[in-house]
Amino acid sequence: GNGARDRLRIAIQKSGRLAEPARALLNACGLSWRESRDRLFCYGESLPVDLLLVRDDDIPGLIRDGVCDLGVVGRNVLLEQDIALRSEGGTTAFREWRALGFGGCRLALAVPEGWAWQSPAQLGSTRIATSYPAILRQWLDGQGIAAEVVELSGSVEIAPRLGQADAICDLVSSGATLAANQLKPVMTLLESEAVLAGPAAENFGQLWDDARGELAELLLRRLDGVLRMRH
Ligand code: ATP
Ligand code: ZN
């Protein structure tokens, strides 16, 4: 953080799968907001807790840079960026403060339906397309597999049909998209869901010695109550 602040700032997805459930959850914690005209910033009314509405991929960076204090983001995005930062020599910047129980999906390895799948060793010297190169690379290294990681920002599931890759590593929920592309999931690399992300620390008091520490603790207590009731 840069300097003392008396308001807590939380980044959430502006639009997409996590946008509405994230707002509904914070709402259930007793937060309410007045929206700005550009709809990028929501000013907290019931508590000094503001929202920044952004692309999910920007959330870890906003936390790391201290622009936002906390964020609601998929574990998949948080872990990808955490591994990428650490592979550049950084230390762990993030912590998952709570798993939030929505946005569930898994990051899975999928191969063409025609493959007789036996073990990950079959992936040696194949090309695997993904939007999660850091997670995939770490997993491949752990398995001792020399495969080529082909980084794509979207439409990963059509890469095998286009001849860009032999297999893919992508997010799966129902599996319908994979089936539509004649692919089958064979390994799960990560079970994911939306999480409350923040900087790595033991407790909020270590992070902020201004009003944000107590605000974050209050939010977490309410969040735990709401999550218990939803269970
Ligand atoms: P943005 O415009 O914010 O970058 P996006 O297109 O990257 O949006 P969404 O498709 O809205 O993101 O997905 C956001 C998150 O929802 C994912 O990172 C993941 O954690 C979760 N999710 C749950 N199910 C799925 C799924 N079937 N496919 C993709 N993401 C899923
Ligand atoms: Zn995104």
Side-chain angles (χ1 to χ4, degrees), residues 32-211:
S32 64
W33 309 272
R34 182 153 40 82
E35 236 168 88
S36 73
R37 205 163 299 180
D38 57 10
R39 298 195 63 251
L40 297 177
F41 188 83
C42 301
Y43 186 85
E45 289 194 313
S46 54
L47 276 176
V49 179
D50 305 325
L51 300 184
L52 201 63
L53 309 185
V54 298
R55 290 200 52 185
D56 65 346
D57 317 77
D58 293 337
I59 292 175
L62 289 167
I63 293 170
R64 193 176 67 122
D65 295 344
V67 175
C68 290
D69 305 308
L70 299 169
V72 175
V73 65
R75 178 180 294 137
N76 48 301
V77 170
L78 193 68
L79 185 62
E80 174 66 23
Q81 296 198 22
D82 191 49
I83 295 173
L85 283 171
R86 281 188 281 130
S87 73
E88 289 162 15
T91 54
T92 295
F94 308 117
R95 175 177 157 188
E96 200 177 300
W97 287 85
R98 286 299 182 272
L100 300 179
F102 60 87
C105 58
R106 60 199 176 97
L107 186 66
L109 190 80
V111 303
E113 275 166 355
W115 283 28
W117 177 258
Q118 282 154 341
S119 83
Q122 282 168 272
L123 296 167
S125 71
T126 62
R127 294 162 304 157
I128 309 174
T130 190
S131 305
Y132 295 87
I135 297 176
L136 176 58
R137 173 57 58 205
Q138 179 174 276
W139 182 80
L140 290 168
D141 289 351
Q143 301 272 325
I145 297 165
E148 184 190 337
V149 175
V150 179
E151 182 174 356
L152 297 178
S153 56
S155 305
V156 169
E157 66 284 351
I158 64 166
R161 278 200 287 155
L162 297 178
Q164 289 173 300
D166 305 298
I168 70 164
C169 168
D170 203 7
L171 294 178
V172 180
S173 44
S174 73
T177 306
L178 289 182
N181 289 282
Q182 293 97 51
L183 298 169
K184 61 180 178 186
V186 291
M187 297 284 305
T188 296
L189 275 61
L190 176 73
E191 296 282 355
S192 187
E193 67 187 284
V195 301
L196 181 70
E202 284 285 312
N203 55 61
F204 292 130
Q206 281 179 357
L207 292 173
W208 308 298
D209 53 14
D210 48 33

